Amino acid sequence: MTFLKRYEELCAIKQEFAARDWFPGTSGNLAIRTNSSPTEFLVTASGKDKRQDTPDDFVHVDATGQLIGDEQNGRPSAETLLHVEVFNRTTAGCSLHVHTVDNNVISELYGDRGEIRFSGQEIIKALGRWEEDAEVIVPIITNHADIPTLAADFAKHIRTESGAVLIRNHGITVWASTAFEAKKQLEAFEFLFSYTLKLQACRQAIY
Amino acid sequence: MTFLKRYEELCAIKQEFAARDWFPGTSGNLAIRTNSSPTEFLVTASGKDKRQDTPDDFVHVDATGQLIGDEQNGRPSAETLLHVEVFNRTTAGCSLHVHTVDNNVISELYGDRGEIRFSGQEIIKALGRWEEDAEVIVPIITNHADIPTLAADFAKHIRTESGAVLIRNHGITVWASTAFEAKKQLEAFEFLFSYTLKLQACRQAIY
Amino acid sequence: MTFLKRYEELCAIKQEFAARDWFPGTSGNLAIRTNSSPTEFLVTASGKDKRQDTPDDFVHVDATGQLIGDEQNGRPSAETLLHVEVFNRTTAGCSLHVHTVDNNVISELYGDRGEIRFSGQEIIKALGRWEEDAEVIVPIITNHADIPTLAADFAKHIRTESGAVLIRNHGITVWASTAFEAKKQLEAFEFLFSYTLKLQACRQAIY
Amino acid sequence: MTFLKRYEELCAIKQEFAARDWFPGTSGNLAIRTNSSPTEFLVTASGKDKRQDTPDDFVHVDATGQLIGDEQNGRPSAETLLHVEVFNRTTAGCSLHVHTVDNNVISELYGDRGEIRFSGQEIIKALGRWEEDAEVIVPIITNHADIPTLAADFAKHIRTESGAVLIRNHGITVWASTAFEAKKQLEAFEFLFSYTLKLQACRQAIY
């Protein structure tokens, strides 16, 4: 029953993000833990149009990202290794990767600094930080076409039970305890990115 | 029957705003008066994804924001105290708080001035001002993580039976006589914010 | 049967524009001719949320904008006089007025010039102009809170069987032979406005 | 059965693009190959509102773009000749032309250079290029009101089995092996255009 519940949670997130057009060109991938010991998780299958719903949208994989059993259609997302790092290094239940215009532009504008910082924003509370002077830092790492190289670099930034990493011109990965928490945090990050870009586009005109 | 009608009005607003993606990261909260003497109102429950519809989306509270009776699931929104101030200081029937990219950017760009002013816009009529030279002023107050402190500051700006206050980097609260009026006024304010930002982003390029 | 067909065409446009959020704060109004001699037309009722569908969304009026018969609920839109001018001065079958962020920003940026001109755009063909060097001019008039004054000024710019006028910070009115044509032309104008604004916001950054 | 499958694929793309508002003012046209030898394809009928679904949305044409048989309602899109060039010069199964604000602005900003180049973007993988240093070039050609002239110029840039050409202020045409591939590539190009424009609008403000 846990497996089914997790499956349904992941379906719901996929449909909601598809409605927001957050999977351009079949980009993006989503993962949810279905078992803790040993680690098992569901991940979006490779190369599908996530605006469509089919019985083969997700595959069930083990702690190394390999298919469990030999009856599954489809291959795991090419970027499954990043989710493997999340589930092996934390107790997170859900890991979401999306590729939006705004998170890509932020990753490019701030990429040379290696990070972007946020503070003084009410929405930071959605990231579990309730102090008035809370500062949130999102690392921005170099993109590598070679996924094992990318995953190794990404893994260095998995330091907390929930968190986020931007990959330059390749989107954001957010992980948290549950599907609900991961989605909430991803929405908060996308809000912060859109806010920052609009502020920059409009600020100079006023003063 | 009044209670049920108010409940349905608040459900409809929640669904419409959710469709506009006006509740990022579970932000935003909505309240509608169900009784005047003593003051009672419905308010969104804390920490829920308002894109989902459940039986526990709203809680029924008294004039101090406390749950009425002991059979309700859920807690009132953490920001219920702001709606308490609205309902205790005015005859308003509805109070809406949303957190959008545009109202946050406006609150930051104009925050140091403590207000933003609008005039010469046809949409000001939606705010109940029909004079050709009508000017609308929206105060912008400092955000405080401590809600009682925020509510006390907010309360100072509740001077009319319908109105609006921006909280810096924390969204807008709009109150008016009915759900219909409050929603109409909120739409007009969001229009004015979006208009202002786009004008600023494009103006310099033309002259 | 003609009446019913026209009614259904206007309902469809109202629903489509509502889905695009083109009626902020109950703004906007739509009209369709139901009879030519004498002139009769349907027009959106005043003060309604056009995202809702009700039996009283439209009223049936005569060539002066007065209700036909005494059994109708609702009042004609406050701006019915502008549609009166269209139907009395042309053979147009449909007249649409919408208030969008982009048409308002254009009306302000180009308002002092009294017009905006477009050329070299493929979408101009949707306005019925197929020549390669076609130029389209949209007049921009001053807004007046007094509707008869506004209608008289507006009427001076109704010089062709299909056309458009921008009212400064008050939206666009487009008229054409049929509902299909009027909607097509309105879409083309909104495209041209959005294109122009985005070009201006991005142009300086590149050179 | 192949014919029916192709027909359904084209319907699905039309509905999805309509939901994104990618057919302003009846612009845009879509084509899918139904037979290879001799070449036959389905193409959107001329002058229709592609947000509506009717039995006459597409027509079946031959390798010269002429209607097959004499029982079809409707005329082929005025720009069918461009799809003719695609299907006669490649083995592509699908050819899509859309007119968006962003692809028009890009075509104008980069039009004098005759092309736009992209590199260092993860989404380039959706275009079938997996090398880390892959560069994608989209030619930008002059628009001509005369379609045979435009088609002849367009044809010069059909050099690969899948590809894209921007027509200045007239949109993009993308062709690829299947409907799935063509849609994926079009989404990737539109992402790259939107990314580029937002980067340009925001970049200067930060440094």
Side-chain angles (χ1 to χ4, degrees):
Chain A
M1 289 304 288
T2 297
F3 181 89
L4 187 58
K5 192 158 171 20
R6 294 295 99 79
Y7 173 82
E8 287 172 352
E9 287 171 352
L10 206 58
C11 286
I13 288 180
K14 170 177 163 289
Q15 289 173 349
E16 185 176 324
F17 291 3
R20 291 178 182 169
D21 229 347
W22 275 6
F23 300 125
T26 77
S27 69
N29 43 79
L30 314 175
I32 197 162
R33 193 194 293 268
T34 56
N35 198 60
S36 290
S37 180
T39 289
E40 297 179 358
F41 63 96
L42 286 163
V43 65
T44 40
S46 181
K48 290 186 162 289
D49 180 351
K50 280 176 275 287
R51 295 169 73 96
Q52 310 298 322
D53 295 319
T54 77
D56 302 326
D57 289 341
F58 306 104
V59 292
H60 194 205
V61 299
D62 64 20
T64 66
Q66 300 301 305
L67 289 180
I68 296 174
D70 52 10
E71 294 186 15
Q72 298 189 73
N73 294 319
R75 288 173 300 117
S77 161
E79 290 158 13
T80 297
L81 277 187
L82 280 74
H83 301 300
V84 161
E85 297 292 347
V86 168
F87 292 129
N88 286 339
R89 289 165 188 272
T90 71
T91 59
C94 187
S95 175
L96 306 172
H97 169 65
V98 296
H99 194 117
T100 67
V101 168
D102 286 10
N103 71 33
N104 273 253
V105 174
I106 285 285
S107 79
E108 177 65 14
L109 286 177
Y110 292 84
D112 288 347
R113 301 182 189 181
E115 66 181 29
I116 182 167
R117 292 170 179 249
F118 299 102
S119 61
Q121 300 291 320
E122 175 69 14
I123 202 125
I124 287 176
K125 289 185 184 171
L127 304 171
R129 301 289 300 278
W130 293 76
E131 324 91 83
E132 196 160 293
D133 58 354
E135 186 181 50
V136 171
I137 303 175
V138 184
I140 305 173
I141 65 174
T142 300
N143 193 22
H144 299 281
D146 180 60
I147 302 297
T149 304
L150 178 61
D153 196 4
F154 172 78
K156 293 177 200 160
H157 295 88
I158 306 174
R159 296 181 185 133
T160 48
E161 293 300 294
S162 72
V165 173
L166 278 163
I167 308 170
R168 193 160 176 169
N169 291 320
H170 183 169
I172 193 171
T173 300
V174 173
W175 63 94
S177 57
T178 62
F180 178 89
E181 272 299 317
K183 185 174 88 78
K184 182 174 74 172
Q185 296 199 16
L186 177 51
E187 287 178 9
F189 282 117
E190 290 294 319
F191 181 92
L192 288 165
F193 300 152
S194 299
Y195 168 92
T196 300
L197 294 177
K198 196 161 255 191
L199 188 67
Q200 290 184 185
C202 300
R203 186 196 288 277
Q204 61 182 335
I206 191 179
Y207 294 116
Chain B
M1 289 305 288
T2 297
F3 181 89
L4 187 59
K5 194 159 170 19
R6 294 295 99 79
Y7 173 81
E8 286 173 352
E9 286 171 353
L10 206 57
C11 286
I13 288 180
K14 169 178 163 288
Q15 290 172 348
E16 186 177 324
F17 290 4
R20 290 178 184 168
D21 228 346
W22 274 7
F23 300 125
T26 78
S27 68
N29 42 79
L30 314 174
I32 198 163
R33 193 194 293 270
T34 56
N35 199 59
S36 289
S37 180
T39 288
E40 297 179 359
F41 62 97
L42 286 162
V43 65
T44 40
S46 179
K48 289 185 163 290
D49 180 350
K50 281 176 274 288
R51 295 169 75 97
Q52 310 299 321
D53 296 319
T54 77
D56 302 326
D57 289 341
F58 305 103
V59 291
H60 194 205
V61 299
D62 63 20
T64 67
Q66 300 301 304
L67 289 180
I68 295 174
D70 52 10
E71 294 186 14
Q72 297 190 73
N73 294 319
R75 288 173 300 117
S77 161
E79 290 158 14
T80 297
L81 277 187
L82 279 76
H83 302 300
V84 162
E85 297 293 347
V86 167
F87 292 129
N88 286 338
R89 289 165 187 274
T90 71
T91 59
C94 187
S95 174
L96 305 172
H97 169 65
V98 296
H99 195 116
T100 67
V101 168
D102 286 9
N103 70 34
N104 272 253
V105 174
I106 286 285
S107 79
E108 177 65 15
L109 286 176
Y110 291 85
D112 289 346
R113 302 181 189 182
E115 66 181 30
I116 183 167
R117 292 168 179 250
F118 299 102
S119 61
Q121 300 291 320
E122 176 70 12
I123 201 125
I124 288 176
K125 289 184 183 171
L127 304 171
R129 301 289 299 280
W130 293 77
E131 324 92 83
E132 197 160 292
D133 58 353
E135 186 181 50
V136 171
I137 303 175
V138 184
I140 305 172
I141 65 174
T142 299
N143 193 22
H144 299 281
D146 180 61
I147 302 298
T149 304
L150 178 62
D153 196 7
F154 172 78
K156 293 176 199 159
H157 296 88
I158 306 174
R159 296 181 184 131
T160 47
E161 293 300 294
S162 72
V165 172
L166 277 163
I167 307 171
R168 193 158 175 171
N169 291 321
H170 183 169
I172 193 171
T173 300
V174 173
W175 63 94
S177 57
T178 63
F180 178 89
E181 273 298 317
K183 184 175 88 79
K184 183 174 74 172
Q185 296 199 15
L186 177 52
E187 288 178 8
F189 282 116
E190 289 294 320
F191 182 93
L192 288 166
F193 300 152
S194 299
Y195 168 92
T196 300
L197 294 178
K198 196 160 255 191
L199 188 66
Q200 290 185 185
C202 300
R203 186 197 288 278
Q204 63 182 336
I206 191 178
Y207 294 115
Chain C
M1 289 307 287
T2 298
F3 181 88
L4 187 58
K5 193 158 172 21
R6 293 295 99 78
Y7 173 82
E8 286 172 353
E9 287 172 352
L10 206 58
C11 286
I13 289 180
K14 170 178 162 289
Q15 289 172 350
E16 185 176 325
F17 290 4
R20 290 178 184 170
D21 229 347
W22 274 6
F23 300 125
T26 77
S27 68
N29 42 78
L30 315 173
I32 197 162
R33 193 193 292 269
T34 56
N35 199 60
S36 290
S37 180
T39 288
E40 297 179 358
F41 63 96
L42 285 163
V43 65
T44 40
S46 180
K48 289 184 163 291
D49 180 351
K50 279 176 276 285
R51 294 170 74 96
Q52 311 298 322
D53 295 319
T54 78
D56 302 325
D57 289 342
F58 305 104
V59 292
H60 194 206
V61 299
D62 64 19
T64 66
Q66 301 300 306
L67 289 181
I68 295 174
D70 52 10
E71 294 186 14
Q72 297 190 74
N73 293 318
R75 289 174 299 118
S77 161
E79 289 158 14
T80 297
L81 277 186
L82 279 74
H83 301 300
V84 161
E85 297 292 348
V86 167
F87 292 128
N88 286 339
R89 288 165 187 272
T90 72
T91 59
C94 187
S95 174
L96 306 172
H97 169 64
V98 295
H99 194 116
T100 67
V101 168
D102 286 9
N103 69 35
N104 272 252
V105 173
I106 286 284
S107 79
E108 177 65 16
L109 286 177
Y110 292 84
D112 289 347
R113 303 181 188 181
E115 66 181 30
I116 183 167
R117 292 168 179 250
F118 299 101
S119 61
Q121 301 291 319
E122 175 70 12
I123 202 125
I124 288 175
K125 288 184 183 171
L127 304 171
R129 301 287 301 279
W130 293 77
E131 324 91 83
E132 197 160 292
D133 58 353
E135 186 180 50
V136 171
I137 303 174
V138 184
I140 305 173
I141 64 174
T142 300
N143 193 21
H144 299 280
D146 180 62
I147 301 298
T149 305
L150 178 62
D153 196 6
F154 172 79
K156 294 175 198 159
H157 296 88
I158 306 174
R159 297 181 184 132
T160 47
E161 293 301 293
S162 72
V165 172
L166 277 163
I167 308 171
R168 193 159 175 171
N169 291 320
H170 183 168
I172 193 171
T173 299
V174 173
W175 64 94
S177 57
T178 62
F180 178 89
E181 273 298 318
K183 183 173 89 80
K184 183 174 74 172
Q185 297 199 16
L186 176 52
E187 287 178 8
F189 282 117
E190 289 294 319
F191 182 93
L192 288 165
F193 300 152
S194 299
Y195 168 92
T196 300
L197 293 178
K198 196 160 254 191
L199 187 66
Q200 291 184 185
C202 300
R203 186 196 288 277
Q204 63 182 334
I206 192 178
Y207 293 116
Chain D
M1 288 306 288
T2 296
F3 182 88
L4 187 59
K5 192 158 171 20
R6 294 294 99 80
Y7 173 82
E8 286 172 353
E9 287 172 352
L10 206 58
C11 286
I13 288 181
K14 170 177 162 289
Q15 289 172 350
E16 185 177 325
F17 290 4
R20 291 178 183 168
D21 229 348
W22 274 7
F23 300 126
T26 77
S27 68
N29 43 79
L30 315 174
I32 198 162
R33 191 193 294 268
T34 56
N35 199 60
S36 290
S37 179
T39 289
E40 297 178 358
F41 62 97
L42 285 162
V43 65
T44 40
S46 180
K48 289 186 163 290
D49 180 351
K50 279 176 275 287
R51 294 169 74 96
Q52 311 297 322
D53 295 318
T54 78
D56 301 326
D57 289 342
F58 305 103
V59 292
H60 194 206
V61 299
D62 64 20
T64 66
Q66 301 300 305
L67 289 180
I68 295 174
D70 52 10
E71 295 185 13
Q72 298 189 74
N73 295 319
R75 288 174 300 117
S77 161
E79 289 158 14
T80 297
L81 276 187
L82 279 74
H83 302 299
V84 162
E85 297 293 348
V86 167
F87 293 128
N88 286 340
R89 288 166 188 272
T90 72
T91 59
C94 187
S95 175
L96 306 172
H97 169 65
V98 296
H99 194 116
T100 67
V101 168
D102 286 10
N103 70 33
N104 273 252
V105 174
I106 285 285
S107 79
E108 177 65 14
L109 286 177
Y110 292 83
D112 288 347
R113 302 182 189 182
E115 66 182 28
I116 183 167
R117 292 169 180 250
F118 299 102
S119 61
Q121 301 290 320
E122 175 70 13
I123 202 124
I124 288 175
K125 289 185 183 170
L127 304 172
R129 301 288 300 278
W130 293 78
E131 324 90 86
E132 196 160 292
D133 58 353
E135 186 180 49
V136 171
I137 304 174
V138 184
I140 305 173
I141 65 173
T142 301
N143 193 22
H144 299 280
D146 180 62
I147 301 297
T149 305
L150 178 61
D153 196 7
F154 172 79
K156 293 176 200 160
H157 296 87
I158 306 174
R159 296 180 184 131
T160 47
E161 292 302 293
S162 72
V165 172
L166 278 162
I167 308 170
R168 192 158 176 172
N169 291 320
H170 183 169
I172 193 170
T173 300
V174 173
W175 63 94
S177 57
T178 63
F180 178 90
E181 272 298 317
K183 184 174 88 79
K184 181 174 74 171
Q185 297 199 14
L186 177 51
E187 287 179 8
F189 282 117
E190 289 294 318
F191 181 94
L192 288 165
F193 300 153
S194 300
Y195 168 92
T196 300
L197 293 178
K198 195 161 256 191
L199 188 65
Q200 291 186 184
C202 299
R203 186 196 288 276
Q204 62 183 335
I206 192 178
Y207 294 115

